[in-house]
């Protein structure tokens, strides 16, 4: 499997390494769900790298076709949720829709808070510049980014 991760272009003109998610990121995600002393072989990381990259391409391709039919150029989160449901991944589409809704809600709150801050104090000198918002600072609205199990017996939300 490691042989096909080189820098050669496949038949679409895209380098194999550009088609796959970075293996370090895949390994980091895999490690989050395992006990601290667990080890992951390179072969396991490469296998998962291929699988998740293919899965993302599969879902995105279906969403993209929908956008083409609707004469839209931008694939959005709703298109991804629709594609997942259409392709038979209903168990994932529902939780993803809820996550997307919560994400948009939080981002809307963040934007509103920034607008309020801006209108309350338009007197920012160089010494008083505000720090950009930190994604970890809004504890009561922050999404839980811990890995979740998607078995048929449990629901992530």
């Amino acid at each position: 499997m490691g042989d096909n991760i080189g820098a050669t272009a496949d038949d679409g003109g895209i380098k194999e390494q550009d088609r796959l998610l970075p293996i370090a990121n895949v390994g980091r995600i895999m490690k989050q769900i395992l006990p601290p002393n667990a080890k992951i072989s390179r072969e396991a990381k490469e296998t998962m790298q291929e699988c998740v990259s293919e899965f993302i391409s599969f879902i995105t391709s279906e969403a993209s076709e929908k956008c083409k039919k609707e004469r839209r150029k931008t694939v959005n989160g709703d298109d991804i949720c629709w594609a997942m449901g259409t392709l038979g991944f209903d168990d994932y589409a529902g939780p993803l829709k809820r996550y997307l809704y919560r994400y948009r809600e939080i981002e809307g709150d963040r934007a509103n808070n920034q607008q309020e801050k801006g209108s309350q104090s338009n007197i920012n000198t160089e010494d008083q510049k505000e720090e950009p918002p930190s994604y970890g600072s809004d504890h009561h609205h922050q999404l839980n980014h811990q890995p979740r199990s998607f078995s048929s017996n449990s629901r992530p939300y």
Side-chain angles (χ1 to χ4, degrees):
M1 195 170 296
D3 297 338
N4 64 357
I5 298 181
T8 59
D10 62 15
D11 51 42
I14 299 172
K15 291 180 185 176
E16 184 75 7
Q17 68 189 27
D18 294 337
R19 187 184 69 78
L20 301 173
L21 290 174
I23 198 158
N25 295 4
V26 172
R28 200 173 309 117
I29 293 167
M30 291 172 73
K31 199 165 179 66
Q32 287 176 355
I33 198 71
L34 297 172
N37 59 342
K39 304 279 189 230
I40 307 168
S41 72
R42 177 136 183 104
E43 181 186 22
K45 290 176 189 176
E46 289 172 354
T47 300
M48 188 60 73
Q49 180 188 37
E50 287 278 341
C51 290
V52 298
S53 298
E54 185 63 31
F55 179 76
I56 290 168
S57 295
F58 182 53
I59 299 295
T60 304
S61 177
E62 187 71 17
S64 179
E65 287 300 316
K66 177 183 189 275
C67 291
K68 284 179 188 173
K69 288 178 185 173
E70 295 175 2
R71 299 177 195 263
R72 291 187 293 120
K73 293 184 179 183
T74 304
V75 175
N76 62 39
D78 295 314
D79 298 321
I80 298 297
C81 293
W82 173 88
M84 290 181 89
T86 298
L87 294 170
F89 297 103
D90 299 317
D91 289 347
Y92 300 101
L96 185 59
K97 284 178 192 174
R98 288 191 297 278
Y99 179 89
L100 182 60
Y101 175 79
R102 287 176 59 202
Y103 174 82
R104 287 175 176 165
E105 199 173 58
I106 289 166
E107 287 300 306
D109 288 348
R110 237 183 228 128
N112 289 338
N113 288 340
Q114 287 302 318
Q115 286 177 348
E116 287 174 13
K117 281 183 182 178
S119 64
Q120 288 174 1
S121 69
N122 288 331
I123 313 171
N124 276 349
T125 64
E126 285 298 308
D127 296 330
Q128 297 173 325
K129 272 192 178 172
E130 291 183 33
E131 293 285 322
S134 168
Y135 287 104
S137 65
D138 193 7
H139 296 293
H140 66 282
H141 281 244
Q142 189 175 15
L143 293 174
N144 184 355
H145 291 288
Q146 294 298 318
R148 299 190 181 270
S149 171
F150 288 93
S151 70
S152 59
N153 296 335
S154 66
R155 295 287 180 228
Y157 295 99

